[in-house]
Each structure stands twice: as structure tokens, then as C-alpha cells.
Amino acid sequence: MHLKIITHEKIVFDNEAEELVVNTTSGQIGVLKDHIPITTSLKIGITKAKVGDDYKHFATMGGVFQFKDNNAVILTDVCEESCDIDVSRAKAAKERAEARLAEANAEIDVKRAEAALARALARLQATLNK
């Protein structure tokens, strides 16, 4: 199958893949060649693609996934391949988000802090599989 991951800024990945695992808002799904057509929304998480004998891991920050005629497309605002992620920056972002959530201050934006934490965790999880 052909996989293309596209953000507003660039095409992150455009190549053949034998297997694909994505995190949809309904749960994780795996896709192989000749899968039935599907269009679904993605949540913040890891996208895993088997390319040859290796797996590529991407931190995908939500978006839309479509599969049809052995063409998989992910449209997302932000996507980073594991080799491009700055681990120390992701750890610092995780710590900041956890600190914000631990505050008993009604003025913080909880949803924003939770989203920041989810993004940091996705980045860190992607780097664990380099």
C-alpha cells in the first residue's frame, strides 16, 4: 500500500508500507493491503508503519485518516518522525504540562494542559521505538 502523511507545512512521509497502525478516536486499528475503505478521525498518538523490515514511528497530533484502493492518507496539523523529535524538549513539555495540571488554580486551561501533555507523551513514546 502507499502511505502519505501530510501536514500544512510539508509531506512528512510518502512511500510504500506493508502495515499501518493508527490511533483513531474510536481506538487503535491496523491496516494491511486490500483493507476495506475507511475514513476516520485520529487522536493524538503514535502512527506506526512497517517499511521493509523496519518500523517507522510518527507522533501524529490528531487529524484524519483515509484508506481506499491501497492508498493511505493521513492529514494532520503536526506530525514528527521519531528520529526528528527532540527528546529533552519533549520531556520538558511533559513536565510543564504535568505541573500545570497539578496546580489547584482555577485560572489554568485544563483542556489545553491535557492536550499539551498528550502531545509530549506521543513524542516521547515515538522516540522509544527508534
Side-chain angles (χ1 to χ4, degrees):
M1 77 178 104
H2 191 84
L3 170 62
K4 191 179 249 187
I5 302 174
I6 305 167
T7 69
H8 296 291
E9 298 175 354
K10 63 183 178 179
I11 296 173
V12 177
F13 186 83
D14 187 5
N15 207 337
E16 296 300 309
E18 288 79 43
E19 177 184 333
L20 183 62
V21 178
V22 295
N23 288 298
T24 74
T25 53
S26 301
Q28 191 177 65
I29 63 168
V31 177
L32 298 171
K33 184 180 177 192
D34 297 326
H35 193 283
I36 62 169
I38 184 172
T39 300
T40 186
S41 56
L42 298 175
K43 69 178 186 176
I44 295 171
I46 303 301
T47 295
K48 182 170 78 169
K50 184 175 183 192
V51 180
D53 293 332
D54 298 320
Y55 283 91
K56 293 194 172 284
H57 296 86
F58 302 89
T60 308
M61 306 306 163
V64 176
F65 171 72
Q66 181 180 43
F67 185 85
K68 183 178 179 186
D69 299 328
N70 288 319
N71 287 297
V73 178
I74 293 175
L75 302 174
T76 181
D77 290 333
V78 177
C79 179
E80 297 169 271
E81 190 172 352
S82 62
C83 60
D84 296 331
I85 295 171
D86 182 339
V87 175
S88 59
R89 186 171 173 234
K91 284 180 180 177
K94 176 184 174 282
E95 291 168 5
R96 281 192 309 272
E98 287 173 337
R100 270 187 255 132
L101 289 169
E103 292 176 12
N105 184 345
E107 292 182 27
I108 70 162
D109 185 345
V110 174
K111 293 284 187 199
R112 184 175 168 200
E114 288 173 341
L117 179 59
R119 289 190 301 272
L121 290 172
R123 286 182 175 106
L124 290 171
Q125 186 180 1
T127 63
L128 293 175
N129 300 302
K130 281 187 185 180

